[in-house]
Amino acid sequence: MTSALRVLACNAAGAFALALGAASPGQASSHMDAPLVTLDDAANTTDVYAFVSAEGGAKYLTTALAVYPFEEPGIGPNNFRFDDDVRYEIHVARGADLAAGRPTLTWRFEFQTEYRNPGTIRQSFLGPIQDVADGNQNLVQRYTVTKVERGKGRPRETVLGTGVVPPNNQGLLTPHYNQDAGAGPARGGVATAAALDRYTSQAIATLSRETLAFAGQRDDGFYADVHAIFDGLALRSGDDRFDSQGGFNVHTLALRIPVSELGGDAQQVGVYATTSRRQITVLRTDDNKERGRFVQVGRQGNPLFCEGLVALADKDLYNRTSPERDAELFAKYATEPELAKLVNDVLFGGAEVAPETGRDDLAGIFIPDVIRVDLSTGPARLAGGGPDHPTNPDDAGFSRLGVFGEDTLASVLTGGPVPGGWPNGRRFGDDVVDIAVTAVLNDLSAGGDITVADGVDNVSRNDIAYNKTFPYAATPLSGRNHGHH
């Protein structure tokens, strides 16, 4: 562990304090965070992303929600897919709602599934697919995006438009995702919209109010040695082959929202996501049901909080509640983190290196559990395929460690620097394990030098290059040619 630590003599703690101070008045995602939702893959949230992007002189809040952990690429005869009986929702809190953890605006995705030819065993693919939803795509999912605006009176719902889900990456049957006419591994991410693969490009939906949407299978963009973390913190030296999510896909929903839809950029907003299912009462037979209201079954905000800080007794409660109740129900898990004690006991022989009590600095990040995004900054620096990638390098100045790698943005709100990545938003490529362990190791409100957990789990990059254009998540891995790490 100690070999992965370094001391950073900079204003990182101050940048954290400025970022969090604008938000209120006064570990990473293993994808298996709570007992009940792990039994419901299609509703199991894995990661939420939120960051400022820009294009053509316009500024946007880009958000994404990933669900369905550990999708084995190329499975059959059924394919992984979104569930028609689940509401997938991305929420944004602004103004007084941010400190209260109350959603001001919601973008709701609802799906409809069609099998065009049910009289075949070829459930998903009738032949090689050249275009999204062409005649060979037997399994076709379409979706509707509805914007929900809350204020005085009843919420106002506006249908923004519809989209279609591209095929999963099978291999030869989905050649445009992959190298070598489908036989090779998936194509890496690209730097421009013009270079996107055909399926991804065709599946980007232009909604009303200048909003873009995407829903489909993507590579799992989270990377970490989760096996070692939950194997008694028995961290190991090695390389990126220990990426527990390497080789797996997820299903991802993404939105590019104009900041004008949020009331302008002179503010900080909070982002989180939920999944909900209808209550069903079975009266006598499977065909005799009463369908009730939608009930929340999953919730995701910042990485780490539910699985790394919230105790087992409250994990399912967390997934059923709103951030409005976080201060009442879950603040104790931030201010007295068991994780800090475990780090001290296991990695430092019982010495109190990480402060174990009075962690108001962590509560400032996680309570309420929304990802805070300072909209007054310029666009976030983005990860591509690494600093030396020949066609899609990381943006100049990008650091997977965010502020702890001296990647900061200038904030009009604070008048100073704020983190360039999580916990000021979260980008694809942010090393949330190293950032989170750094936060736990240090009292971020104290100022001074920061002990940085750089490479603490020895996994420091994703298994495939990200896109630096919407929808940003990397190409789904090929079912014919991929490897698990």
Side-chain angles (χ1 to χ4, degrees):
M1 172 72 170
T2 54
S3 64
L5 301 181
R6 61 184 176 89
V7 176
L8 177 69
C10 73
N11 194 32
F16 255 74
L18 283 171
L20 298 174
S24 63
Q27 172 121 281
S29 175
S30 73
H31 308 348
M32 304 291 284
D33 62 340
L36 286 179
V37 78
T38 60
L39 304 176
D40 189 358
D41 284 335
N44 189 356
T45 62
T46 68
D47 289 287
V48 175
Y49 302 87
F51 54 91
V52 175
S53 61
E55 184 175 338
K59 187 184 287 188
Y60 302 92
L61 172 66
T62 293
T63 70
L65 164 65
V67 298
Y68 222 125
F70 299 106
E71 291 186 5
E72 177 69 31
I75 203 72
N78 286 290
N79 268 202
F80 301 110
R81 58 185 175 87
F82 297 105
D83 193 330
D84 294 4
D85 293 325
V86 173
R87 273 184 174 174
Y88 303 88
E89 296 181 308
I90 295 173
H91 309 279
V92 176
R94 57 180 302 268
D97 290 337
L98 175 56
R102 183 172 51 239
T104 311
L105 303 165
T106 295
W107 283 260
R108 176 185 301 151
F109 287 73
E110 295 177 292
F111 290 84
Q112 306 84 40
T113 301
E114 171 192 7
Y115 288 98
R116 288 170 162 171
N117 180 5
T120 176
I121 62 172
R122 297 176 294 171
Q123 296 183 18
S124 301
F125 308 98
L126 301 177
I129 294 174
Q130 299 302 323
D131 296 287
V132 173
D134 70 13
N136 282 331
Q137 186 174 339
N138 197 32
L139 167 61
V140 178
Q141 289 198 291
R142 302 182 189 276
Y143 61 91
T144 300
V145 178
T146 302
K147 181 181 180 183
V148 182
E149 301 171 84
R150 297 174 181 83
K152 295 181 180 179
R154 300 184 61 180
R156 182 173 63 183
E157 298 186 2
T158 304
V159 175
L160 299 183
T162 61
V164 62
V165 177
N168 289 358
N169 190 353
Q170 193 72 16
L172 296 176
L173 294 177
T174 50
H176 300 300
Y177 280 135
N178 304 313
Q179 303 172 36
D180 302 326
R187 296 173 51 188
V190 297
T192 66
L196 284 170
D197 70 85
R198 181 184 298 183
Y199 308 126
T200 302
S201 179
Q202 290 178 349
I204 295 173
T206 300
L207 310 179
S208 62
R209 301 187 179 183
E210 300 179 47
T211 300
L212 294 185
F214 175 88
Q217 189 183 56
R218 309 306 290 172
D219 164 72
D220 189 336
F222 170 72
Y223 56 90
D225 188 356
V226 173
H227 295 124
I229 293 170
F230 290 97
D231 192 15
L233 286 177
L235 301 173
R236 50 193 168 182
S237 61
D239 52 38
D240 297 316
R241 63 192 171 91
F242 292 134
D243 178 7
S244 301
Q245 271 70 35
F248 291 101
N249 292 323
V250 290
H251 264 60
T252 299
L253 310 99
L255 286 167
R256 196 190 74 176
I257 306 165
V259 295
S260 58
E261 284 290 288
L262 306 171
D265 65 354
Q267 61 174 320
Q268 191 181 59
V269 298
V271 177
Y272 74 102
T274 58
T275 53
S276 302
R277 283 193 177 277
R278 278 194 186 275
Q279 287 181 324
I280 295 178
T281 301
V282 179
L283 301 178
R284 295 182 62 184
T285 67
D286 193 51
D287 296 325
N288 191 4
K289 300 177 181 178
E290 288 184 352
R291 294 169 60 82
R293 64 184 182 91
F294 278 93
V295 176
Q296 181 180 307
V297 296
R299 168 159 70 109
Q300 186 96 26
N302 289 284
L304 170 72
F305 185 60
C306 183
E307 63 205 294
L309 297 183
V310 175
L312 175 62
D314 282 337
K315 288 185 184 294
D316 289 326
L317 177 63
Y318 168 90
N319 274 323
R320 294 194 299 265
T321 53
S322 162
E324 293 175 82
R325 300 192 64 193
D326 285 349
E328 166 198 355
L329 297 173
F330 308 118
K332 60 185 178 183
Y333 296 121
T335 57
E336 298 183 9
E338 182 185 6
L339 181 58
K341 180 173 175 53
L342 290 173
V343 166
N344 289 333
D345 289 347
V346 176
L347 302 179
F348 295 106
E352 190 169 332
V353 176
E356 297 178 8
T357 60
R359 298 303 304 269
D360 291 339
D361 57 327
L362 295 183
I365 296 172
F366 293 113
I367 305 299
D369 187 21
V370 298
I371 301 177
R372 295 166 176 84
V373 187
D374 186 335
L375 297 182
S376 75
T377 71
R381 299 177 184 90
L382 299 174
D388 301 321
H389 195 282
T391 60
N392 183 28
D394 298 344
D395 285 348
F398 171 85
S399 172
R400 62 182 175 79
L401 299 175
V403 65
F404 300 128
E406 303 184 27
D407 183 348
T408 62
L409 297 169
S411 167
V412 174
L413 290 180
T414 67
V418 294
W422 185 61
N424 175 36
R426 180 186 175 188
R427 305 166 295 182
F428 290 93
D430 280 346
D431 193 335
V432 293
V433 169
D434 288 5
I435 294 172
V437 173
T438 298
V440 169
L441 283 173
N442 298 272
D443 183 350
L444 300 172
S445 62
D449 294 345
I450 295 291
T451 301
V452 181
D454 182 0
V456 66
D457 64 340
N458 291 294
V459 177
S460 300
R461 63 184 176 91
N462 195 37
D463 53 334
I464 185 173
Y466 301 104
N467 289 302
K468 291 199 302 183
T469 186
F470 189 82
Y472 298 98
T475 313
L477 301 177
S478 168
R480 188 174 187 85
N481 192 324
H482 74 279
H484 291 302
H485 290 189

